[in-house]
Amino acid sequence: MESYTLITEWLENYPHLYTLIGLSLLILISWVANWLVKRILVRGVYRILKNSELGRYSSLADSSFIRRMANIVPALILSAGIVIIPNISPVAVAVVQNVTTAFIVLTIALGIGSLLTIVNEAYNKRPDAHLKPIKGYIQVLKIAIYAIAAILMIASLIDRSPLILLSGLGAMAAVLLLIFQDTLLSLVASVQISSNDLIRVGDWIEMAPLNADGDVIDIALHTVKVQNWDKTISVIPTKRF
């Protein structure tokens, strides 16, 4: 204890060195925590999933998804530990915390997107999945989640409330409608296709102007894929239906 006190008192005479050592220790602790989580926890969860019923869903059993979520741990350590670094400026603390918060939001958004992919994969294993595909709805949910995540990330980086950004979206409504025009048209078309049961996976369709003449193999938000009689693939915009 006395040695620690002496070292601390000596380092206080060299504030820059004291700060550098503190930052180095924080980065080292974050790296060790990241290594432990990915080496022990992630591998353990990965093996459990591989040997369970959930292992049949490749997206869930994929270690890259679990590793991505594990990246939250070192980010939390950096965000919490930066405040105890000696002689560090409040501006630097705010920058580190804002960046780590934005990173955590991005990681969570990507994780939710992966989970939605798993939901779609699980749904497609149902015998009647081709009658009511949900891929378009999943893609809409992903777009909404990523849009919300983008707003939260920008708000974190500029250290402002997300409500301020949302209030400014009203003035940008016309620009946003122009940017997302194709997405909105595709969304409406996808809903109409699903609700009115216009086409299904496995149906034979012919659209000569688009060089499509074959079986529908995929119905997504923006496109419908058709495998032609000569085994070529034609991609038709959903809004053309």
Side-chain angles (χ1 to χ4, degrees):
M1 189 66 180
E2 293 181 0
S3 300
Y4 173 77
T5 304
L6 290 174
I7 294 174
T8 303
E9 292 177 352
W10 180 79
L11 287 174
E12 288 177 351
N13 297 323
Y14 304 93
H16 295 295
L17 178 61
Y18 200 4
T19 303
L20 180 60
I21 293 175
L23 287 173
S24 300
L25 288 175
L26 178 60
I27 294 173
L28 178 61
I29 293 172
S30 300
W31 180 83
V32 171
N34 183 59
W35 184 84
L36 288 174
V37 169
K38 290 183 177 180
R39 283 281 181 172
I40 300 175
L41 181 60
V42 170
R43 286 190 175 184
V45 173
Y46 177 63
R47 289 176 181 175
I48 292 173
L49 290 176
K50 275 292 188 182
N51 297 325
S52 67
E53 285 292 326
L54 295 175
R56 58 182 177 174
Y57 304 129
S58 59
S59 300
L60 182 59
D62 187 2
S63 60
S64 63
F65 161 71
I66 305 174
R67 286 178 180 274
R68 179 184 295 133
M69 299 306 296
N71 289 330
I72 294 178
V73 174
L76 289 174
I77 293 175
L78 287 174
S79 180
I82 193 65
V83 297
I84 63 175
I85 300 299
N87 305 316
I88 192 167
S89 66
V91 175
V93 172
V95 169
V96 171
Q97 289 183 332
N98 292 343
V99 171
T100 53
T101 300
F103 175 77
I104 291 172
V105 170
L106 175 62
T107 303
I108 293 175
L110 293 175
I112 295 175
S114 298
L115 289 177
L116 290 175
T117 300
I118 295 168
V119 170
N120 183 59
E121 181 180 337
Y123 180 82
N124 287 335
K125 292 183 180 294
R126 296 176 50 178
D128 58 343
H130 67 283
L131 300 178
K132 292 288 183 179
I134 63 171
K135 186 175 182 179
Y137 299 107
I138 294 293
Q139 290 177 328
V140 171
L141 284 176
K142 285 184 178 181
I143 292 174
I145 290 170
Y146 295 153
I148 294 173
I151 293 174
L152 293 177
M153 289 173 61
I154 294 173
S156 298
L157 292 174
I158 65 177
D159 199 16
R160 292 292 185 271
S161 171
L163 297 178
I164 297 177
L165 296 178
L166 290 174
S167 62
L169 290 179
M172 298 178 59
V175 178
L176 292 175
L177 287 175
L178 181 62
I179 294 174
F180 294 103
Q181 178 182 7
D182 290 339
T183 299
L184 293 174
L185 291 175
S186 298
L187 172 61
V188 174
S190 180
V191 172
Q192 289 179 339
I193 289 173
S194 179
S195 60
N196 296 326
D197 199 18
L198 297 179
I199 56 173
R200 302 175 180 176
V201 174
D203 286 352
W204 183 286
I205 65 172
E206 180 179 356
M207 298 182 71
L210 298 176
N211 297 320
D213 185 9
D215 293 321
V216 176
I217 59 174
D218 184 56
I219 302 175
L221 175 63
H222 293 93
T223 59
V224 174
K225 291 184 179 180
V226 177
Q227 184 178 40
N228 299 313
W229 59 271
D230 57 356
K231 301 302 181 181
T232 59
I233 303 296
S234 296
V235 180
I236 305 172
T238 310
K239 60 184 180 181
R240 296 294 297 270
F241 287 89

